[in-house]
Amino acid sequence: NEFLRGCTLRFLCKIAEPELVEPLVPAIKDCLSHRHRFVRRNGFLAVYAIAKRSPELFPDAAEVVADFLEKETDEAARRNAFLMLFNCAQDRAIDFFARHAEDAESFGEGFSLLLLDLARRSSKRDADQALKARFIRPIFSLLDSDSPAVVFEAASTLTALSAAPTAVRAAAQAWTGLLRKEADNNVKLVILERLSELRARHARVLRELVLDVLGVLSTQATEVREKALSLAMSLASPRNVEGIVVALRKQLQVTRE
C-alpha cells in the first residue's frame, strides 16, 4: 500500500538509531523507483535523513539520488531529491543545476527557491567567477516566474552575485514590479527596504525607476508611503526631478479628491 509505505518512510526520517535503520536501507532504496509519487517523495526524504545522520549506512546515497533525479518527473519528489544533494553533496547539486539550468522555472516553486539558495551559498563558498557566471542566466529567467516568492529571491540572489548595471537594473525592475502587484503592506515594506539598500551602491541605476517607486503612494498604509517618499527623494536628480514633481502633483490631486 503506497500510503503506508510513504508514512513509514516519513517515520524512518525520525529514527536516529543506526542499528534499526540499517536492515531497511535496501527497501528504502527500492522505494526511490516506486510507481507512486507519494512513496518516492518520502523515499528521498528518508535517504536524506540517513545520509545526514549515518552516512556509512548508505555510502553511495548521493550517486543513487543523482541518478534518480535525472529521471524524476514529480515536482515534490524532484525537490526532495535535490534537497538531499543540496545538503549532502553540493558538487553534484551544482552539476545538476548547470545541466538543467534552462528548465529551472518548469521544475516548480520549491525547486526554484532551492536553486537560488544553492547559488547564494556557492558564491559565498567559492570566489570563482566562472561558477557565478553559470548561475546568472537561469536566475535572469526566474525573474519572470509566476511565483512572487521566486521573483523576490531571484532578484536578491542576482544582486548578491553581480554588481553589473544590467543585473542590478533587472533586479530593481523585478522588485518594483512586485511593489505594484503585491497587496500585502509588509511585503511592500520589505521590498522598499531592499531597494534602499541597493541605493547605497547603485543610486544611478535606481534613479531610472524612481517613478515606479512613487506608484506605491496610492496605497493606504502611511508607513509604506513614507518609506517610498523617502526613497524617491534620496534618488532625486536634475534628470528626474521634473518627473518626480509631476507624479507628486498627481498624487496630491488624487488625495484631495
Side-chain angles (χ1 to χ4, degrees):
N1 182 288
E2 52 270 9
F3 179 73
L4 291 178
R5 279 178 179 250
C7 291
T8 302
L9 289 164
R10 181 61 67 91
F11 171 68
L12 289 174
C13 294
K14 301 179 181 180
I15 296 180
E17 290 75 11
E19 62 275 10
L20 297 179
V21 177
E22 185 174 11
L24 301 174
V25 170
I28 293 172
K29 184 176 179 181
D30 289 341
C31 288
L32 301 182
S33 57
H34 194 274
R35 61 180 177 79
H36 202 285
R37 59 187 179 183
F38 181 66
V39 176
R40 299 197 305 274
R41 290 175 185 177
N42 289 290
F44 287 120
L45 290 178
V47 173
Y48 173 34
I50 293 172
K52 188 167 61 172
R53 291 175 181 156
S54 307
E56 69 282 357
L57 300 183
F58 201 160
D60 59 340
E63 181 180 352
V64 170
V65 170
D67 289 340
F68 279 111
L69 183 57
E70 295 289 342
K71 299 173 284 188
E72 185 56 64
T73 56
D74 179 66
E75 285 188 6
R78 187 191 291 121
R79 178 199 173 277
N80 291 346
F82 191 78
L83 179 67
M84 182 272 172
L85 293 181
F86 176 82
N87 287 284
C88 302
Q90 273 200 14
D91 290 339
R92 287 185 180 273
I94 292 173
D95 180 63
F96 179 85
F97 177 79
R99 287 184 289 104
H100 298 275
E102 300 300 325
D103 304 319
E105 189 176 357
S106 65
F107 285 171
E109 178 181 332
F111 195 91
S112 295
L113 292 173
L114 265 181
L115 291 179
L116 292 168
D117 196 7
L118 173 65
R120 285 193 296 271
R121 290 195 191 185
S122 299
S123 65
K124 291 178 181 178
R125 185 191 67 178
D126 198 328
D128 184 5
Q129 293 300 316
L131 178 61
K132 291 183 180 181
R134 295 169 73 180
F135 292 114
I136 295 296
R137 186 174 177 180
I139 291 173
F140 263 102
S141 68
L142 290 176
L143 292 175
D144 297 322
S145 172
D146 294 331
S147 166
V150 172
V151 173
F152 179 84
E153 292 299 333
S156 300
T157 304
L158 195 57
T159 56
L161 293 180
S162 175
T166 304
V168 174
R169 185 176 294 107
Q173 287 173 340
W175 277 330
T176 54
L178 288 177
L179 274 178
R180 295 192 302 271
K181 296 176 184 177
E182 289 300 304
D184 191 321
N185 290 324
N186 290 321
V187 174
K188 291 181 185 292
L189 287 171
V190 171
I191 294 173
L192 288 169
E193 183 63 32
R194 291 295 177 92
L195 289 171
S196 297
E197 293 172 0
L198 204 60
R199 180 194 61 80
R201 293 173 286 127
H202 304 284
R204 185 175 180 180
V205 175
L206 284 184
R207 286 190 184 108
E208 303 171 11
L209 303 172
V210 66
L211 296 183
D212 293 324
V213 174
L214 287 174
V216 157
L217 294 178
S218 59
T219 187
Q220 297 299 315
T222 303
E223 188 176 359
V224 173
R225 289 186 303 202
E226 288 178 350
K227 200 168 188 64
L229 191 57
S230 175
L231 176 59
M233 291 301 98
S234 68
L235 293 172
S237 71
R239 289 188 177 184
N240 63 21
V241 67
E242 185 176 347
I244 292 175
V245 171
V246 171
L248 291 176
R249 281 177 177 171
K250 287 182 178 179
Q251 185 58 41
L252 185 59
Q253 290 174 355
V254 172
T255 304
R256 286 177 175 175
E257 293 173 0

